[in-house]
Amino acid sequence: MIRPFLFDVPVSRIRRLLACAVFLMGGASLLAQESSNPPELFPHPERIRYDGHCLQIENQDFFLSSAAFHYYRTPQELWRDRFQKIRDAGFNTVETYVPWNWHERDLPTGLDDFSKVDLSEFEAWLKMAQDEFGFYTIVRPGPFICAEWGGGGYPRWLAKFNPWTGKEFWLRSADDAHIAWSVHWYEAVCKVISREQITRKPKGAKGIILVQIENEYDYHKAPDKPKL
């Protein structure tokens, strides 16, 4: 399930989004709404918006045809070959997960230490996809990505902060420490995502059009009808 990202959302809102994870399941219902979406959902509706009928980019109906391309599984020397094959197959969009444990492999000194984060490979992939091959992009930064990837994208060093009681599952929970470290990751990765959003690109340029928060969330001990 890909949750449409409300374009130009500040990083400060990520904490609320992660803490109230059931909100993530609202994507399908949002897409099912009629075209009466409140205009405040779209700070730049002339660039991109959606309703119950379709996605619109620059006021044109857009049929999204997306191919998955996980850059961290492919040597960079082969990226152009893969992008060319995707374009030749007729796709107009590519999507990828952004695995936390790939980009922050070593334990930072604290929540405010981003010196161990290296997102240059992700940035290079976005630049090649958007600028060189003309794709729109969809990104899925987790913190949990599944994707048959080690740890589901969680870095191993995160276990140091697990107040393990043996009674509940800590990862993907609303525990304060888990939320705080998830926000740490989002504060790092969203700096790249933010500047690559289509709403921050010149008219006609390609950029990120959708972002998925978490992945296949399954309501870990969440109420059926949360008050949002």
Side-chain angles (χ1 to χ4, degrees), residues 37-202:
N37 284 305
E40 61 268 20
L41 286 178
F42 307 100
H44 303 282
E46 76 287 354
R47 295 304 310 279
I48 187 166
R49 69 183 306 276
Y50 62 86
D51 57 27
H53 302 288
C54 68
L55 185 70
Q56 289 188 336
I57 296 179
E58 296 182 359
N59 295 316
Q60 298 294 317
D61 290 355
F62 179 70
F63 184 83
L64 190 156
S65 179
S66 178
F69 178 5
H70 301 167
Y71 60 91
Y72 50 92
R73 286 184 159 120
T74 307
Q76 195 162 346
E77 295 79 8
L78 299 178
W79 286 3
R80 284 188 175 86
D81 172 76
R82 302 303 189 262
F83 278 128
Q84 187 62 54
K85 285 179 168 63
I86 292 170
R87 189 165 67 179
D88 291 346
F91 292 95
N92 55 32
T93 305
V94 289
E95 65 92 358
T96 186
Y97 291 108
V98 188
W100 181 3
N101 59 7
W102 185 256
H103 294 290
E104 191 173 27
R105 303 182 188 185
D106 298 321
L107 174 67
T109 59
L111 291 168
D112 296 327
D113 177 16
F114 300 98
S115 63
K116 309 297 184 181
V117 179
D118 182 0
L119 290 158
S120 57
E121 189 174 7
F122 174 46
E123 293 179 277
W125 184 89
L126 287 171
K127 181 176 178 60
M128 189 178 293
Q130 297 166 173
D131 300 344
E132 186 173 338
F133 285 88
F135 288 115
Y136 295 106
T137 55
I138 298 170
V139 296
R140 311 167 75 180
F144 176 74
I145 66 170
C146 188
E148 291 70 51
W149 182 254
Y154 279 111
R156 294 193 178 201
W157 52 257
L158 194 62
K160 174 181 175 66
F161 304 98
N162 180 359
W164 176 249
T165 64
K167 297 180 180 180
E168 60 184 15
F169 192 57
W170 182 65
L171 295 176
R172 309 178 78 191
S173 76
D175 175 78
D176 288 346
H178 173 260
I179 294 297
W181 281 105
S182 295
V183 170
H184 163 87
W185 164 237
Y186 262 73
E187 286 179 342
V189 72
C190 282
K191 289 178 182 178
V192 176
I193 292 173
S194 177
R195 64 175 174 261
E196 291 296 328
Q197 288 176 249
I198 191 173
T199 51
R200 300 189 177 185
K201 296 294 188 74

